[in-house]
Each structure stands twice: as C-alpha cells, then as structure tokens.
Amino acid sequence: MSEAKKTTGYRGRWAWVDLTDRTVRVEPADPAYGRDYVGGRGLQARLMADHLERTGPLQDPLSPLNRVVVGSAALNDTAVATAGRGSCSFVGTMARSPRPAAWVPGHKPVYGLLTHSSAGGLFPNMLKRAGFDQVVIDGRADRPVRLEAVEGTLRIVDAEDELFETVQGRRVPRAASLITDFLASRVKGGSTLTVGPAGWNLVDFACLTADYHRNFGRGGAGAVFGSKNLVAVTAYGKEAVAYADAEAFKRLGQDLDKLIKASVDDPNRTASFRPTTGTTWWLDRAFNGRYLGAKGGYLPWHNFDEGSFDPGDYAKVSTDAFLAISGKHSVCNKCRHIFCTRSAKVDAGPYAGEGVRPEFETIALWINCCILDRDAIFHLNALCNELGVDTMTFGSVMAGAMELAEKGFLAKFGEAPKFGDAAGMVRTLKDIAYASTPLGRLLGGHSDRVIAEAAAGASAADLAAVAYCLTTAYGGLGYAGINPKAFPGMFTAYGTSNRGRGDHTYAWTIQAEEGGLKDARDLAAYVAEGQGGKALVDSLGLCDFFTGDITAEPFLSLYGALTGTAYTPESLKDCGRRIYALERRMNNLQGRDRTYDAYVAPKLKVPLGRGAHQGRAVDEAFYNSVLDAYYAAWGWSRDGRVL
Ligand code: SF4
C-alpha cells in the first residue's frame, strides 16, 4: 500500500484481473490519465479505448474479449455532497444491431457501444477504501467466480454454492439481496455489487445491483458479468484518501456545502423538491406542468403514442400517489441535503412489501405501458432490483411487446401481457430474467432479433408493422420518460448519447425548451455542451443532482486542494470534451455513424393526439438540420465521425 500514500485524492492503484488466466496484477495508476481524463467515467473510457485500439472492433459484447472496468473518482469518499457515485464501463449489449435489418433505411451494423453506467450506494466508496481506484476485468472464468477486494488485496474466489439456486432447470444466482446478505457474512462490513439471474441468463438489459437497490442500470453490465462467469465483487476497507491540502479542502468544502444547501432551500429551484419527492416530481411536471413546469402533456402513454391521458386515471400514479407510500430517506453514501431516495412501503394487497420508492423514469416508462397501479409499479421495481433487470429498458421493451400482443404478433410465443396488465408484466419480468419461456427468451434479446423472430415468415407489410411497435429497434436503449415527440432538443439528446439511442442522462433540455429554446443551432450547441459537462460530472464521481458549479473557481480550488491538480475553467471543460470525443471515436470503431444517430422510429413520426403538445411529432428534416449543427459543434464530420 506504500504507493497509495504518494497520491492524493485517488488511491493510486489499479487492479488488472484476467479471469481466463485467473491472475490479478496490481499496478500504480498512471497520473497523466488522471489529469487528462479526470477519473471515473473519463479514466475508464481511456482504459476501454486502450483495449479496443489493441483488439480492434469488438463484434460480440458477450465474448471474453469484452472488458469491464469498475471504479471511482478522486472526489469519491470525500466529504463533498453526493460524492458517492461510482462508474462501470464496458461495451454494451443493448446498443447493437449486428445483422442486416430491412426495417432500418440504409442499415449499417453496430456491434455494441462503449457504455458507461453510474451508481451510488456505498460500493464505489468502499472499493476506494479497499485501496483500488479501478478494477479492470478481462477474459472469462471457466467456472463461476467472484472478486473480493479487502484492505489492499484483491483475489478471485470460487463462487460458493450458496450463491445459486435452480429455477426452471437453470442454475442461476439467487436474488441480489440474498447474495448481498451472504457475502456480508463472509466479508464483515463489506459492500457487494452483484449480477442477478437476468445477467446470468445474458438478458441484454441486465444490470448490476449494489447495496440492494443501487444499479449500474443501462446498457447490459449484468449480461457482461454473466458472460464472464462473474457473480459479484465485494469490497471492504478503512483507509481514507490523502489530501494535497486538507485544511483548504475542509474550508472550501464547507463553503460549497452552504451553496448546495441554499439551492435546496430555494423554492424556485427544482433542487428544493428532491428531499420530498425525489425524482417523482417530474411525473406531475410532465403530466400537467406542476413543479415550475409549463403545461405538461409529455408523459408517455400507450408506447409513446400519446403524452397525456385521463386526469382521473393519472391521480392513481401521480407524484402524490408515490409520496403517500414514501418513508425515510435511503440515500447514497456521502449524500447530503439533496437526499432524493426514500424508502417505500405498500401495506396490503397482492403487492404488499417494503423497499425503495421507484424513480421518475421507471414509473413514466411503466405508465407508458398503461399501468395505473401504483402498488404494482412499486412491486415491479423491487423485483427488477432482485432479478438484476434495468427498469427503463424493461419498460420500453414491454411497451413494444404489449403493442405487438395487441396486434396479434406474439401469439406463437405464448401468453403476452396487453396494455394495462400489471400481473402479466410481473409474470413476463420473471420469464425474461429466468429465461424460462419462449416469450421470455425472445424479449430478453436485443430488439432487432425480436423483430426478426416475431416477423419470421410474414409479409413485408407485417414486418413493417412489427418494427413499428419497437422503439428500441436498431440498437436503441429505449427512450426515457419524456415523450420524444414533444421536444426536438431532447430527441437530439436521445439520438446522440454516446451510450445509445434513448439515453437521457448525457444531456437534458426540457427546462430550456419549455423556456423557448428552439433554433436548430442553439439546440445542437446546448446538447453538445451538456454532453461534455455530464462527462465531467461522471468523471468526478458526483451525482446528476449535484447543484454546485464544477467549472467555477471555488470548485476548482477545492479539487486542487484534494488532488494537487490545477485546472482552469477551460482546461477542465476540455477534459469533458476530450472524454466525450474519445467515447464517440470508440463508437465509430464499433460501427456507429450518422446512420445510427439519424434513425427515427416510425411511430415517433405520428403526431400526438391530445394534450399540450397535440400535433407534435419528430420532424425528420428538422432533426437532420440539428444533427448537422451538432456535428459541427463537436468538430466532427458530417457523417458523425470524430476527425
Ligand atoms: S441526490 Fe439521490 S442519487 Fe444523488 S447522491 Fe443523493 S441519494 Fe444518491
């Protein structure tokens, strides 16, 4: 551990795990990577790029050649509010379309995008306390294994029988909470990141679950763990990071804390809603404009066909409906003031239980399945956490499957749920996670495979009708919970996100568009700027809801007092742009160019029929003009390639 003492902010140690050879190598971190790529997401993008530049394009994200990196950033485990967000990077399973797809105009193969996922809880900070900034995992184990990072040592351990059960003839990991409890008995005080049965069964949208309900959700990290025969990573340590100037860090940290608290105390800022409603205040804003919004009308309904529905029905799943089942705060390690997560409890009925309140995006995408049963939504969310399923992509896939079922295209695969069928959705979730029925195995794969199999032997008209139902076609992650028809800027953010079509976390335009932003060049610049900024937030180990200004002088001084790195506002912004462009260059390598970005799911061209955004749809010509401006803003070629 001596080299860790020489570094400040980081622990200064990376572990290189080769599961095929069953070897672990611990080496000093490269300080130049820390300076140029900051940490977390940025550093992992560099480590992934080093790998992909050596191997060439990775055609199968489930092959042993895929790499997965788990780790943290310099600010993690310090006293900065929300500095508990860790990073996981890999080539994703969901954002791919490897084979010819007649339903995509001018289709070009995309083999899986470089994907970053962020999660809080305790795990990222505990991994750092254990002495590791990054754990780089290559290869595939010849039998189920897990990793144990404890007080400076990382070892590969054969996975115990107790971690598994047999369900419908398949040996799969137990529910995430049972694995977490078992490993807590092996490593006292430890924190565990685990795959669920969905990841083990290589479901394309399987996630990894840390600390019971914190997920590396989007993109298929669970499937990549499953493909490597890797069940869990457990971390435990006590050693704190060293500071370049501990006194200055403490003083500057207190100033920053006051600013964050002031933003939460200001009723004119959305931060003020988070301690009470978490992210669910967006439900009311999207439906009717409450919480500093305009008129709403963009909460997706019936597989994105509408942005509004009967207000009497809405009350069953509104912000207040979820507030009514909310309990105490249940937040990430190091969170202060913002406190977005709360426990939740359903007292009675078929979905009675205790857990956490679902997030806005999850609820919105299940309302998009016409589910108006709050308790069922709570239960489905808890089940996704236990089975290792990304709630968002699951919602998008289910909405598509429900429309396919409504139109009679899934009959040959068994009993598929129709819109509004909560019990059917619970059943199908289990079928997918346990790969236990033909329908479950079908829907657990990527959407181009679903289209090809659902339309096998059908006419060209039927093929188009099947493709129409799935907004996840051509390597989409699934659109998030803001109806993409209503906002051209948000559609651009969805369409250009480095981790795949539909992702909302890399740029967010709603407040700006509700405020009047609409010129193509302005929208493009706003999205590009947001993407570079978000790359920084993820690379600093902060949460999306951090309210400080990371390029303002006080924050730069704080960061310097921790790490000794002196950024200027411009040099730190350059890091964000460098990270985003590097990810994009890797995605170019994986087959992504303008063809992927420009794809508009056919149903998104059909106007909304009611609500404040009635008549709006994705305007393909306008979107293409925004794309032109977007590539120009980044300095990329007109076909979306990094020059
Ligand atoms: S605001 Fe929410 S997501 Fe962010 S650190 Fe706090 S609990 Fe975690």
Side-chain angles (χ1 to χ4, degrees), residues 81-85 120-121 214 274 279 330-341 359 542-546:
T82 83
R85 304 289 303 193
R214 293 287 171 187
R274 295 204 190 278
T279 53
S330 174
V331 299
C332 303
N333 186 237
K334 302 293 178 187
C335 184
R336 280 199 313 287
H337 308 307
I338 306 172
F339 296 146
C340 79
T341 315
E359 302 289 340
L542 297 171
C543 154
D544 275 2
F545 309 139
F546 178 76

Side-chain angles (χ1 to χ4, degrees), residues 409-432:
F409 289 119
L410 289 182
K412 63 186 173 187
F413 298 99
E415 191 188 354
K418 303 263 174 40
F419 284 108
D421 176 5
M425 202 156 150
V426 171
R427 184 185 68 240
T428 309
L429 172 59
K430 292 177 185 168
D431 289 348
I432 290 172

Side-chain angles (χ1 to χ4, degrees), residues 156-480:
I156 303 169
V157 182
D158 281 337
E160 294 85 347
D161 282 345
E162 290 91 330
L163 298 177
F164 290 87
E165 63 182 339
T166 299
V167 179
Q168 310 258 6
R170 285 173 188 256
R171 192 166 180 262
V172 292
R174 292 182 188 276
S177 63
L178 298 176
I179 289 185
T180 305
D181 288 344
F182 176 80
L183 292 176
S185 72
R186 291 287 159 117
V187 183
K188 298 270 185 251
S191 171
T192 288
L193 172 68
T194 183
V195 70
W200 210 249
N201 284 325
L202 308 181
V203 170
D204 260 25
F205 43 93
C207 63
L208 294 171
T209 305
D211 307 308
Y212 302 100
H213 61 89
R214 293 287 171 187
N215 296 300
F216 290 115
R218 296 280 253 172
V224 177
F225 259 47
S227 75
K228 294 185 174 303
N229 256 331
L230 179 57
V231 184
V233 184
T234 303
Y236 175 71
K238 290 183 289 218
E239 202 167 335
V241 293
Y243 293 77
D245 183 341
E247 273 309 304
F249 185 87
K250 189 173 171 195
R251 178 173 37 80
L252 291 160
Q254 286 167 347
D255 292 345
L256 180 67
D257 223 50
K258 283 182 203 149
L259 286 177
I260 292 172
K261 183 161 184 336
S263 74
V264 175
D265 289 341
D266 180 351
N268 293 312
R269 293 192 60 168
T270 54
S272 65
F273 313 137
R274 295 204 190 278
T276 315
T277 66
T279 53
T280 65
W281 63 269
W282 270 106
L283 290 167
D284 279 11
R285 180 164 174 145
F287 189 79
N288 57 28
R290 191 181 166 201
Y291 293 107
L292 306 179
K295 291 182 181 164
Y298 49 89
L299 193 59
W301 177 255
H302 199 277
N303 197 18
F304 297 107
D305 284 343
E306 297 295 347
S308 191
F309 51 97
D310 187 337
D313 281 340
Y314 173 66
K316 299 174 197 164
V317 287
S318 66
T319 301
D320 286 344
F322 282 92
L323 197 52
I325 59 166
S326 301
K328 290 182 179 161
H329 289 131
S330 174
V331 299
C332 303
N333 186 237
K334 302 293 178 187
C335 184
R336 280 199 313 287
H337 308 307
I338 306 172
F339 296 146
C340 79
T341 315
R342 288 174 68 169
S343 64
K345 186 175 177 200
V346 170
D347 287 321
Y351 302 120
E354 292 185 47
V356 289
R357 179 176 56 195
E359 302 289 340
F360 160 73
E361 300 291 348
T362 300
I363 300 167
L365 288 168
W366 295 350
I367 289 174
N368 192 34
C369 299
C370 306
I371 303 295
L372 292 167
D373 183 335
R374 176 201 60 193
D375 296 354
I377 289 173
F378 163 82
H379 177 71
L380 277 161
N381 186 64
L383 210 48
C384 281
N385 286 337
E386 291 288 24
L387 302 179
V389 172
D390 173 41
T391 58
M392 292 178 62
T393 300
F394 171 65
S396 296
V397 168
M398 284 311 301
M402 286 171 171
E403 188 166 352
L404 286 172
E406 195 173 70
K407 293 176 175 172
F409 289 119
L410 289 182
K412 63 186 173 187
F413 298 99
E415 191 188 354
K418 303 263 174 40
F419 284 108
D421 176 5
M425 202 156 150
V426 171
R427 184 185 68 240
T428 309
L429 172 59
K430 292 177 185 168
D431 289 348
I432 290 172
Y434 290 114
S436 53
T437 62
L439 182 70
R441 290 191 285 278
L442 176 80
L443 297 178
H446 63 86
S447 289
D448 283 339
R449 203 190 87 195
V450 176
I451 294 168
E453 292 192 22
S459 65
D462 275 353
L463 174 62
V466 168
Y468 179 88
C469 298
L470 286 168
T471 57
T472 43
Y474 196 23
L477 289 183
Y479 294 100

Side-chain angles (χ1 to χ4, degrees), residues 557-632:
S557 297
L558 173 90
Y559 196 75
L562 172 65
T563 62
T565 308
Y567 290 117
T568 64
E570 271 318 303
S571 68
L572 187 60
K573 274 189 193 169
D574 282 349
C575 288
R577 292 177 66 84
R578 182 181 301 122
I579 293 162
Y580 205 81
L582 177 65
E583 291 172 342
R584 176 78 186 191
R585 193 155 60 75
M586 289 306 102
N587 286 341
N588 288 157
L589 187 74
Q590 289 295 105
R592 180 179 191 167
D593 63 16
R594 186 175 186 130
T595 310
Y596 177 92
D597 298 346
Y599 176 72
V600 180
K603 72 158 38 209
L604 299 185
K605 300 176 201 170
V606 178
L608 293 168
R610 56 182 164 179
H613 291 272
Q614 186 175 10
R616 298 200 78 160
V618 176
D619 176 339
E620 216 168 356
F622 181 73
Y623 175 51
N624 268 287
S625 72
V626 182
L627 272 185
D628 285 339
Y630 170 82
Y631 297 142

